[in-house]
Amino acid sequence: TCSGRRRKQEKVTRSKNRAGNTDGALDGCWRLVESCNEPDNAPADWLQELDILGPRVFDGEGELCWLHQNEDGAVILEGGMLSIKDGTLIRNGKTTRQSYALFSLES
């Protein structure tokens, strides 16, 4: 795990969406290093760290989430689109379109 903390166990229901990151391109342990948010609108705790392996993600609060692929082929996490640019994982928010940059701690 990214920080060695104990992970929470959670029941998972199957989704009708296609699994995202089946090629493992986003795999790794990622830590938030930059946000375009205003200072008074800090990123949520769950986004501080993402531990990705295939379509499974443990977020910064230790919760299990799933990556999905939308009809355009984009990988989606909790409604926001993920991509990699120059070795940096980028998440563009779903409603505010705010961007977050996360650097890999391990590959």
Side-chain angles (χ1 to χ4, degrees), residues 15-90:
S15 171
K16 294 179 184 176
N17 297 333
R18 293 176 290 172
N21 193 42
T22 55
D23 63 356
L26 304 176
D27 285 1
C29 193
W30 304 87
R31 178 150 308 151
L32 182 68
V33 292
E34 184 179 328
S35 169
C36 73
N37 280 351
E38 298 297 323
D40 59 340
N41 188 18
D45 288 342
W46 72 267
L47 188 56
Q48 298 297 319
E49 189 172 274
L50 301 175
D51 190 356
I52 301 174
L53 181 60
R56 293 177 296 213
V57 180
F58 283 100
D59 67 21
E61 295 179 322
E63 297 291 329
L64 178 62
C65 309
W66 295 94
L67 296 177
H68 302 284
Q69 187 175 17
N70 70 12
E71 58 278 351
D72 297 327
V75 177
I76 307 297
L77 173 64
E78 299 297 318
M81 186 174 64
L82 296 180
S83 60
I84 291 187
K85 182 177 180 183
D86 299 326
T88 301
L89 180 69
I90 306 293

Side-chain angles (χ1 to χ4, degrees), residues 3 8 46 60 91-92 103 105:
S3 63
K8 295 180 182 178
W46 72 267
R91 182 180 184 273
N92 291 309
F103 287 117
L105 298 174

